[in-house]
Amino acid sequence: MTGKDFIFPQLFLRLAISVTMLSAVADRFGFWGDNSAWGNWGNFEKYTRQLTFFLPETLSTFSAYTATFLEILFPLMLILGFKTKIAAYGAGILLLVFALSMSIALGIKAPLDYSVWVGSAAAFLLATQKEFYFSIDTLTKKS
């Protein structure tokens, strides 16, 4: 997925990964209303405890905050095209950890239904790109 023929698919991939992750964050803050999976922070913390059952409650809560911070940071970096490779690898790793946790705690069907494996793979594919079009990275690239 390199070269001028892939400018728009690459941009679409950056935006799709970003919007998907930001939508999950919006859900845990109740922005989706009746269409929410969690609907509020408390429900999201309970869900995080379910996925991180192997951690003490304090670390589970910390992981909910950390995941949320990273699920805001990486998508914003991807949208802007700032340190895109780092953001793509970060998103890929974050989604991979999420998919593994979901698989262990809930079974393989949950991460498949929510396309978490696909999101992780897409982020890793994006990270392999040599150039990022419509990005701060391209604007600041040294010739």
Side-chain angles (χ1 to χ4, degrees):
M1 201 166 84
T2 58
K4 296 283 185 202
D5 293 340
F6 297 104
I7 291 173
F8 291 106
Q10 183 194 92
L11 180 61
F12 180 57
L13 184 58
R14 279 178 33 212
L15 293 175
I17 293 167
S18 299
V19 170
T20 301
M21 292 177 80
L22 290 172
S23 175
V25 172
D27 186 312
R28 67 191 69 151
F29 291 121
F31 294 151
W32 287 121
D34 291 339
N35 295 317
S36 293
W38 303 296
N40 60 58
W41 184 259
N43 288 338
F44 177 68
E45 279 189 8
K46 284 186 222 170
Y47 180 71
T48 302
R49 277 195 294 280
Q50 186 180 5
L51 296 185
T52 58
F53 63 90
F54 49 87
L55 295 176
E57 188 172 337
T58 306
L59 283 178
S60 180
T61 301
F62 177 76
S63 70
Y65 282 95
T66 302
T68 299
F69 172 76
L70 294 174
E71 283 180 279
I72 294 169
L73 178 66
F74 294 143
L76 292 178
M77 290 172 70
L78 290 174
I79 289 168
L80 296 172
F82 177 72
K83 303 287 184 187
T84 310
K85 190 174 288 284
I86 292 169
Y89 274 122
I93 291 167
L94 183 63
L95 289 167
L96 179 61
V97 168
F98 185 45
L100 290 169
S101 293
M102 285 179 81
S103 296
I104 293 166
L106 307 174
I108 192 67
K109 186 177 183 313
L112 291 173
D113 286 353
Y114 291 105
S115 302
V116 183
W117 294 108
V118 173
S120 178
F124 285 128
L125 177 63
L126 181 62
T128 66
Q129 300 305 291
K130 292 182 181 3
E131 188 173 346
F132 299 100
Y133 305 99
F134 301 108
S135 68
I136 291 173
D137 293 342
T138 299
L139 293 174
T140 59
K141 186 176 177 182
K142 294 180 180 158
S143 302

